[in-house]
Amino acid sequence: MRLLNFIDGQWVAPVGEEFQQDYDPATGEVLLEVPRSGREDAVRAIAAAKQAFKTWRLVPAPKRGEILFRVGQLLMDRKVELAREMTREMGKVTLEAQGDVQEGIDMAFYMAGEGRRSFGYTTPSELPDKFAMATRDPIGVAGIITPWNFPMAIPTWKIFPALVAGNTVVFKPASETPHLAYQLVKILEEAGVPKGVVNLVFGSGQEVGETLISHPDVALISFTGSNETGRHVAEVAGGSLKRVSLELGGKNAIIVMDDADLELAVDGIIWSAFGTTGQRCTACSRLIVQAGIYDELKERLKARIGALKLGAGLDSSTDVGPLINRQAMEKVHKYVQIGKDEGAHLEIGGEVATDARLSSGNFYLPTLFTDVSMEMRIAQEEIFGPVLSMIKVKSLEEAVEVNNRVTYGLSSSIFTSNVNAAFRAIRDLLTGIVYINAGTIGAEIHLPFGGTRGTGNGHREAGTAALDFFSEWKAVYVDYSGKLQRAQIDD
Ligand code: NAD
């Protein structure tokens, strides 16, 4: 099967007629051919979106929301099939892939509802016979740039609020997950999104991504990906004063206090550290453990990690799927070596899976390091794989300090049965998301999502916060006094 770009309501080949292959990370099998588009394709898509904005911004928001409602219904009808395709394309186990699609469904219905809300506000004027209100305006063409690890959820977090707010879209998905991007745009087309309102251009960050972030007709960039790329996106797009939202990496921690329910904590840790093979921005890669239960927790974790079954995500008995590609495996292994060199103790894992059954995929053994100190690189840098580091602390204060001493600020969690400790942690943990007695993953779409400090630039996705990014506030004053009234001067 050969995919095409979607520009101005037409499925078209890239101008250069170049294609590349998309692989199954569990088997190495070629799945599809995908356009390797260039600058010209992106420019065409931007022009189509610019033209379509003229009419889409005038479509009543409830009508825009109704289209999203149909999108939600189509996603629901195809959930199982889409999840299956996702597993083949990026490896996560099918149940998690279904969760990824479900996030898209939830977001579609939520944003459909925002078509009838998107509230502004009225407020009394300081002058008599004068009315004051604040409303939301659409902004223009939104460049949507996404990573591969949530190939349905993340694009929907961006595209749906962009559309309901009245913007048009040029979508550049990650090169590793073109098929899900294609399926999503097919559904948007089928649901009745008018031509030019959503455009899809496959291709590299260097070609298509660069065009989006530098083109003067793109008003907004919503980017999720690595810190390195995000910093570059901010510099280039910020240079022309585009509005830029960055959702970047994480180095998320779970704190386990002596008084925690250990069984529950172990469940939360295993799910957060090894779910999606550690390739979630919210994945737990640091475990901050109070000294009294450190040894017991270590033993329990070793037993559970040793029992995790690696395999293709389509096999229902699989716990942990493959990493996305060979480079990711090499990166994970490099960090394991760094951890050993730094003096951390490798308890379990730490190598590429040698099982013949797994030899054609990108499988890495779930890994646990102990005797890790807060400054070590494995405790500071995002590894984005199945590697967990245990750090011993004496108190809640020290645990919070260790949690906060990284450049990232996405998600954190604490297991404790002490309500005072829980509330102190909520107050003091410097992350955009905090969980009590649950792991670091599993955000719900009607709450704001995003991180502090190095994880982004202060915007939030999801919830009504998403509308704040995708719309512009307009203050409106209606003076019905029939005379000149000067604010701050006449009263
Ligand atoms: P990446 O930065 O390599 O790529 C992200 C996207 O940017 C891709 O579509 C890529 O093609 C594009 N891109 C690359 N170079 C570009 C350029 N010069 N100009 C414009 N676009 C360019 O990230 P990835 O490997 O796909 O994803 C993994 C990263 O994403 C991890 O760091 C992870 O933590 C992060 N992530 C963050 C969140 C969040 O919400 N905070 C969610 C998921 C993933």
Side-chain angles (χ1 to χ4, degrees):
M1 184 177 172
R2 189 173 250 204
L3 302 185
L4 297 172
N5 290 328
F6 189 62
I7 299 176
D8 205 16
Q10 304 289 321
W11 292 96
V12 291
V15 172
E17 293 286 344
E18 282 186 58
F19 290 81
Q20 66 188 42
Q21 292 175 326
D22 180 29
Y23 298 92
D24 179 337
T27 62
E29 187 191 334
V30 175
L31 299 172
L32 296 165
E33 288 201 359
V34 192
R36 193 188 305 197
S37 313
R39 185 178 161 74
E40 209 179 317
D41 302 290
V43 167
R44 285 181 182 194
I46 294 165
K50 186 183 177 189
Q51 181 64 26
F53 179 64
K54 292 179 187 164
T55 46
W56 181 245
R57 62 182 277 276
L58 301 176
V59 173
K63 296 280 168 227
R64 298 195 293 249
E66 281 167 24
I67 296 178
L68 291 179
F69 191 84
R70 283 198 287 284
V71 170
Q73 288 173 313
L74 291 168
L75 284 169
M76 238 166 112
D77 293 347
R78 294 179 201 163
K79 176 174 166 180
V80 171
E81 174 193 331
L82 287 167
R84 206 183 146 73
E85 283 167 6
M86 186 186 301
T87 298
R88 290 204 72 195
E89 187 168 56
M90 59 73 65
K92 67 172 73 169
V93 298
T94 308
L95 209 58
E96 287 184 41
Q98 288 182 11
D100 193 322
V101 180
Q102 186 61 44
E103 278 194 50
I105 297 167
D106 296 342
M107 190 56 93
F109 292 140
Y110 180 71
M111 284 299 159
E114 283 306 317
R116 287 188 184 268
R117 285 189 297 266
S118 300
F119 297 129
Y121 55 92
T122 61
T123 182
S125 165
E126 66 187 45
L127 290 162
D129 298 330
K130 192 175 172 191
F131 186 84
M133 63 185 161
T135 61
R136 291 178 186 277
D137 262 9
I139 301 176
V141 177
I144 305 289
I145 303 177
T146 57
W148 48 266
N149 65 334
F150 279 84
M152 181 60 80
I154 291 178
T156 65
W157 289 5
K158 298 177 184 301
I159 295 173
F160 297 172
L163 292 180
V164 82
N167 306 285
T168 55
V169 163
V170 179
F171 172 27
K172 190 216 96 59
S175 307
E176 294 85 351
T177 47
H179 200 198
L180 265 289
Y182 166 82
Q183 297 288 14
L184 174 60
V185 173
K186 277 288 235 196
I187 285 175
L188 284 157
E189 182 192 21
E190 211 176 312
V193 172
K195 81 180 174 91
V197 170
V198 172
N199 304 273
L200 169 66
V201 185
F202 295 107
S204 70
Q206 283 66 33
E207 289 283 328
V208 178
E210 285 291 338
T211 309
L212 286 180
I213 62 178
S214 58
H215 198 288
D217 290 338
V218 176
L220 302 151
I221 293 288
S222 180
F223 172 89
T224 298
S226 62
N227 279 55
E228 198 186 358
T229 316
R231 198 165 289 122
H232 172 74
V233 167
E235 279 168 13
V236 176
S240 57
L241 297 184
K242 292 187 199 315
R243 186 182 288 208
V244 185
S245 158
L246 303 171
E247 292 297 339
L248 310 176
K251 190 69 191 172
N252 315 292
I254 292 178
I255 296 170
V256 188
M257 303 301 291
D258 283 346
D259 59 17
D261 174 341
L262 271 201
E263 212 172 305
L264 179 66
V266 169
D267 284 344
I269 294 162
I270 296 287
W271 172 229
S272 300
F274 304 112
T276 324
T277 321
Q279 303 171 109
R280 289 192 185 211
C281 51
T282 51
C284 167
S285 63
R286 297 184 297 151
L287 202 51
I288 304 170
V289 185
Q290 204 172 5
I293 41 99
Y294 189 90
D295 290 335
E296 188 183 347
L297 185 60
K298 175 179 80 178
E299 292 311 320
R300 288 196 192 204
L301 282 173
K302 262 169 73 175
R304 284 284 293 275
I305 293 170
L308 290 172
K309 187 178 168 216
L310 268 68
L314 289 177
D315 177 345
S316 59
S317 67
T318 294
D319 297 308
V320 181
L323 287 162
I324 186 71
N325 52 35
R326 293 270 150 191
Q327 294 95 289
M329 272 215 306
E330 281 159 20
K331 181 180 171 196
V332 169
H333 197 58
K334 184 190 87 180
Y335 270 107
V336 166
Q337 199 50 53
I338 289 170
K340 287 189 203 164
D341 294 346
E342 285 178 314
H345 182 69
L346 178 63
E347 293 283 346
I348 188 165
E351 53 190 323
V352 172
T354 49
D355 188 337
R357 182 177 63 87
L358 306 172
S359 61
S360 47
N362 310 315
F363 292 95
Y364 200 89
L365 295 182
T367 299
L368 178 69
F369 276 111
T370 52
D371 298 339
V372 177
S373 66
M374 154 170 94
E375 305 77 24
M376 289 181 182
R377 285 182 65 190
I378 54 168
Q380 288 288 328
E381 297 173 20
E382 187 182 48
I383 300 174
F384 223 52
V387 181
L388 181 61
S389 294
M390 273 179 90
I391 303 167
K392 193 185 284 183
V393 292
K394 293 191 194 70
S395 61
L396 176 64
E397 289 66 32
E398 193 185 348
V400 168
E401 163 77 8
V402 171
N403 178 78
N404 293 346
R405 283 272 287 273
V406 290
T407 54
Y408 298 101
L410 186 50
S411 184
S412 58
S413 130
I414 180 167
F415 283 86
T416 177
S417 55
N418 179 334
V419 70
N420 297 349
F423 271 91
R424 276 191 205 111
I426 292 170
R427 184 192 61 196
D428 295 338
L429 292 169
L430 299 179
T431 51
I433 305 168
V434 175
Y435 291 91
I436 306 299
N437 291 329
T440 50
I441 66 176
E444 299 179 27
I445 64 96
H446 50 301
L447 280 85
F449 181 93
T452 64
R453 300 170 292 143
T455 291
N457 60 347
H459 292 285
R460 291 291 182 271
E461 301 203 278
T464 48
L467 296 178
D468 290 334
F469 179 73
F470 285 107
S471 62
E472 193 102 77
W473 281 110
K474 181 181 273 174
V476 181
Y477 302 97
V478 182
D479 190 321
Y480 55 96
S481 69
K483 58 183 187 210
L484 175 66
Q485 300 197 91
R486 295 168 300 177
Q488 292 89 41
I489 296 175
D490 299 322
D491 50 28

